[in-house]
Amino acid sequence: MEIKKLKESTSLNSFILGILIIIGIWLISILIINFFFENTFNENAAWFGDSFGAINSLFSGLAFAGIIYTILLQRQELQLQRQELKNTREELKRSADSQEKTEKLFKYQGDIMNKTARLNGLNQLIEYYSIALNNTDQKSKNRGLLIDKMKSARKKSESILRDLETEV
């Protein structure tokens, strides 16, 4: 911010210096015209009218200095705009990278939640089979079937746990 203020003050100082130089040249031109032509304003009306041509040159010079000053200001603004666009592009790139990482994390979290839900379901089945085994008679035909289902549920649970351990 300090550099911008310094550039603006330098630019304004240059503009004011240019205006003072133009006014100085204008004043010198009046003195030169008066020195070389010893006529006074009352003696020659044509000369009096022509002397205002110097005022015309003053305003032309001031207009030219104003145009140069405007061009310098526009150049500075364009440089600042380019820098701002560069910063915006960098920030957008960082934002896009962050969104991609977040998307990957959400997908990973969804996979873990899915496996956790499956584990909870299998755990409930194992508990159900365990309770059912406790309530069945030792000689019942269903007992072997319940034991097989419980072993299958445990194997699936162990497989899911191994998958989770390898991912983490």
Side-chain angles (χ1 to χ4, degrees):
M1 201 65 170
E2 295 289 328
I3 295 172
K4 184 179 177 182
K5 287 181 182 178
L6 181 64
K7 285 182 180 180
E8 287 177 0
S9 67
T10 304
S11 179
L12 184 61
N13 290 341
S14 299
F15 179 68
I16 292 171
L17 179 66
I19 289 174
L20 291 176
I21 289 173
I22 292 169
I23 291 173
I25 291 172
W26 175 68
L27 290 173
I28 290 171
S29 70
I30 289 175
L31 293 174
I32 290 173
I33 290 171
N34 200 15
F35 178 74
F36 285 116
F37 301 103
E38 296 178 5
N39 299 344
T40 61
F41 290 120
N42 293 332
E43 294 177 3
N44 192 347
W47 182 84
F48 178 72
D50 288 341
S51 68
F52 286 102
I55 293 175
N56 186 23
S57 66
L58 168 69
F59 288 113
S60 296
L62 290 174
F64 185 67
I67 289 171
I68 290 174
Y69 180 69
T70 303
I71 289 171
L72 291 175
L73 285 178
Q74 285 179 345
R75 186 173 141 219
Q76 286 178 353
E77 286 298 319
L78 284 173
Q79 288 173 346
L80 291 173
Q81 205 172 32
R82 285 185 189 118
Q83 183 62 38
E84 188 64 33
L85 285 172
K86 181 182 174 185
N87 293 345
T88 301
R89 279 192 297 265
E90 290 172 359
E91 190 63 33
L92 286 174
K93 185 179 182 299
R94 284 186 26 205
S95 177
D97 292 344
S98 176
Q99 284 179 337
E100 287 176 9
K101 289 177 183 176
T102 302
E103 179 184 355
K104 288 177 184 178
L105 286 174
F106 279 148
K107 184 177 179 189
Y108 177 71
Q109 184 181 14
D111 290 343
I112 289 178
M113 289 174 68
N114 184 15
K115 290 177 181 178
T116 302
R118 288 178 56 201
L119 276 173
N120 286 338
L122 289 170
N123 189 31
Q124 291 295 323
L125 279 175
I126 292 171
E127 284 183 32
Y128 170 77
Y129 294 142
S130 177
I131 291 170
L133 274 174
N134 287 338
N135 292 337
T136 57
D137 194 6
Q138 291 284 351
K139 297 179 183 177
S140 172
K141 295 179 185 178
N142 290 334
R143 189 167 180 80
L145 183 62
L146 287 172
I147 291 173
D148 289 340
K149 286 185 177 184
M150 194 163 79
K151 286 180 182 178
S152 173
R154 280 189 182 162
K155 285 182 184 178
K156 287 181 184 178
S157 295
E158 290 170 357
S159 171
I160 292 172
L161 284 172
R162 277 193 302 274
D163 287 346
L164 282 173
E165 286 175 354
T166 57
E167 287 180 11
V168 176

